Amino acid sequence: MSRPYDSADFEQLQRDADECLLTYGTAFHPEIITSTDGIYMETQSGHRMMDFTSGQMSCLIGHGNPEIVQTINDHAQHLDHLFSGMISPPVIKLAKRLTGVAPAGLDKAFFLSTGGEVNEAAIRLAKFFTGKFEIVGLASSWHGMTGGSLGAQYHAGRSGYGPNMIGNLALPTPNSYRSIFRHPDGSHDWTTELNYGFDLLDKQSCGSLAALIVEPILSSGGMLELPPGYMKALKKHCEARGMLLIVDEAQTALGRAGDMFAFTHHPEDEGVVPDIVTLSKTLGNGIPLSAILTSNRIAQHAKENDFLFYTTHINDPLPAAVGDKVLEIVIRDDLCARSKRLGVKLQAGLRRLQSRYGCVGDVRGRGLMGGLEIVSDRKTKVGAPEVGSAISDKMVKMGLWAQLATMASFGGVFRIAPPITVTEEQLDLALAIMEEAFRTTPGTMPLYIEEKVPVRSETIVEARL
């Protein structure tokens, strides 16, 4: 079966791209991507790569999943888009299924298109409910590119565009690898760090603290996992100040990190339910779809007082049908447990690399969401982005796309997030490719004496094909 671009003039397409496409913060991949299938992507030259970022961390259950394709086809033909004041069966079914798997207290939902858009809605709802306007975020956060979500984001994108949204304040990121807050034994003292951060917030606030927004694992910030007990401490601080707690699960929800919702993972955080939870990316499996979940209490206030967040594509039936099918598959196939199990294998593979190469400063993540930080010296923890780039280029040549974050502000951290339908064999192959890339790239600082003939690049390519 021929693919849509089999006979395309790629030299002309590249010229057209150079002429017509506006850049937006990242260099384009050197080859045009012409097809995707399951866990694979293929370029114009026929080069096939395992996609270990799930697109933009979104294709949770793989590219071209047959059930998703059928759902899109059915709804594109019969129920695609409606007036924003109308509701349809897919929207109702997704809301019912989503609130059914969420912890009690997350009772109502509506659906938008992107993570930035739904975080904008969450921040607006928090301001509306509390009657206050100050929003707090973590210093390595990424929440989107719209006004309110960008205002609460500190990782990148704040300078050079004029004033940001007023009333935004930051807490220190609990980075256990790099934080200066330490116990006498050298371990991370995140409690003191957090209390110190809130003390500074109280001094800076004008008395109008509305909400705190956090990611359970800060992906763009370097795959930084919030410590056990951190979410409970955040909730306590918020309640003491009359603030709402918003949790952004764009990349972490629906099994990506091994749990349906990542904020529920740690026993130390048991019983913590955010006031608002946002989802995007994973929910649509690559189709633009996001969701906001909140309590009956907040929903009732919004209804009685005419909360407004009215957009063209709110509660659209086609993407909602896709989201409902994604969630159905995740539940039916027990993919959360699968992600947790394979995540153990992924972490073990990454830690083996750390034991063998001095350039691996830290290994992070949970479930099928891993991070690998590349440094030039483990003592000083100085980054080595040029080494990371060289390793990344080698992996790409060998057929593995495991992204070294493309913006300089992301630092030298590999973000690894394959579809959670990845097989054990595919995971083994990816780890073997990574090992070979580290072995053959200058500057990785091997910590071992090679005693046997390594797996050859040709063998890995043959196995992949």
Side-chain angles (χ1 to χ4, degrees):
M1 180 179 178
S2 65
R3 294 187 171 117
Y5 300 102
D6 279 350
S7 59
D9 182 343
F10 290 107
E11 289 185 4
Q12 182 61 51
L13 275 177
Q14 191 61 65
R15 288 193 294 270
D16 291 345
D18 294 340
E19 179 183 347
C20 301
L21 287 179
L22 179 68
T23 58
Y24 44 83
T26 182
F28 296 135
H29 189 73
E31 284 200 82
I32 297 170
I33 307 300
T34 56
S35 69
T36 56
D37 178 28
I39 199 170
Y40 292 102
M41 303 181 293
E42 192 168 308
T43 72
Q44 65 196 62
S45 67
H47 183 55
R48 205 162 179 241
M49 297 180 288
M50 301 171 74
D51 182 4
F52 263 54
T53 60
S54 302
Q56 189 65 34
M57 311 289 179
S58 299
C59 285
L60 185 74
I61 55 176
H63 298 283
N65 181 289
E67 292 181 79
I68 300 300
V69 171
Q70 187 61 53
T71 298
I72 292 171
N73 181 70
D74 291 345
H75 288 78
Q77 185 173 6
H78 298 294
L79 193 57
D80 52 2
H81 166 75
L82 296 170
F83 174 71
S84 297
M86 295 175 175
I87 56 173
S88 59
V91 169
I92 299 166
K93 287 178 64 181
L94 176 55
K96 183 69 173 177
R97 198 187 302 269
L98 189 56
T99 57
V101 297
L106 295 171
D107 313 303
K108 293 287 197 298
F110 67 65
F111 306 101
L112 297 165
S113 298
T114 69
E117 187 182 25
V118 80
N119 285 332
E120 191 83 21
I123 288 167
R124 186 173 174 89
L125 180 59
K127 291 179 177 180
F128 188 74
F129 180 78
T130 62
K132 298 185 284 186
F133 71 91
E134 291 176 315
I135 304 295
V136 179
L138 295 180
S140 299
S141 56
W142 184 284
H143 297 296
M145 297 303 295
T146 59
S149 59
L150 180 61
Q153 170 176 302
Y154 296 91
H155 180 76
R158 295 183 67 86
S159 61
Y161 308 95
N164 291 297
M165 188 75 71
I166 62 169
N168 285 282
L169 303 166
L171 283 172
T173 300
N175 184 340
S176 62
Y177 182 59
R178 295 188 174 275
S179 176
I180 62 173
F181 287 83
R182 299 288 169 185
H183 291 294
D185 66 359
S187 60
H188 183 205
D189 184 4
W190 64 261
T191 303
T192 299
E193 182 179 47
L194 183 60
N195 292 340
Y196 178 74
F198 267 100
D199 184 57
L200 289 180
L201 282 182
D202 291 337
K203 288 178 170 62
Q204 296 172 75
S205 170
C206 67
S208 191
L209 291 167
L212 167 68
I213 182 168
V214 296
E215 304 153 88
I217 300 174
L218 287 81
S219 172
S220 296
M223 286 297 186
L224 303 171
E225 181 183 1
L226 298 187
Y230 193 87
M231 199 70 74
K232 182 167 281 189
L234 285 181
K235 183 72 169 175
K236 186 175 180 181
H237 275 293
C238 287
E239 288 175 343
R241 293 162 177 79
M243 303 169 65
L244 299 188
L245 175 60
I246 304 169
V247 172
D248 176 356
E249 291 254 11
Q251 294 193 30
T252 51
L254 307 192
R256 161 61 68 206
D259 300 275
M260 188 63 75
F261 296 90
F263 75 83
T264 67
H265 176 77
H266 295 297
E268 294 86 345
D269 295 311
E270 186 176 358
V272 174
V273 179
D275 299 287
I276 302 172
V277 170
T278 62
L279 298 88
S280 52
K281 292 183 182 291
T282 59
L283 184 60
N285 201 56
I287 295 297
L289 175 65
S290 57
I292 183 170
L293 290 165
T294 194
S295 66
N296 281 324
R297 181 173 68 107
I298 293 173
Q300 189 64 28
H301 177 87
K303 183 176 182 179
E304 291 174 353
N305 295 277
D306 299 324
F307 172 70
L308 178 65
F309 202 92
Y310 190 92
T311 77
T312 301
H313 294 287
I314 195 167
N315 286 348
D316 255 357
L318 189 154
V322 169
D324 187 51
K325 180 57 70 172
V326 169
L327 189 50
E328 176 191 331
I329 293 169
V330 169
I331 296 168
R332 181 194 72 201
D333 296 346
D334 201 14
L335 295 184
C336 292
R338 191 172 190 282
S339 176
K340 185 175 293 186
R341 176 173 57 83
L342 290 182
V344 172
K345 187 182 189 75
L346 172 62
Q347 286 290 311
L350 298 181
R351 294 196 183 281
R352 182 175 186 275
L353 290 173
Q354 185 181 30
S355 73
R356 291 170 61 81
Y357 298 95
C359 70
V360 180
D362 197 28
V363 172
R364 299 191 280 268
R366 204 168 72 226
L368 287 172
M369 186 174 187
L372 234 170
E373 183 161 350
I374 306 300
V375 297
S376 60
D377 186 289
R378 285 188 176 178
K379 281 191 174 181
T380 64
K381 302 179 182 178
V382 173
E386 68 291 340
V387 175
S389 293
I391 296 168
S392 178
D393 290 345
K394 187 65 67 72
M395 289 182 190
V396 168
K397 288 177 183 176
M398 295 169 66
L400 177 65
W401 173 251
Q403 184 199 29
L404 184 73
T406 50
M407 292 186 187
S409 60
F410 287 3
V413 178
F414 280 95
R415 296 191 294 167
I416 302 164
I420 63 174
T421 50
V422 64
T423 66
E424 291 203 42
E425 293 75 18
Q426 289 167 336
L427 187 54
D428 284 336
L429 177 56
L431 289 168
I433 291 173
M434 293 180 74
E435 170 76 42
E436 181 69 359
F438 274 82
R439 188 189 73 82
T440 57
T441 300
T444 58
M445 297 181 284
L447 302 174
Y448 64 96
I449 298 173
E450 199 168 287
E451 296 178 347
K452 61 181 181 179
V453 178
V455 177
R456 295 183 299 113
S457 302
E458 299 93 321
T459 304
I460 290 173
V461 171
E462 287 167 8
R464 181 174 55 81
L465 296 174

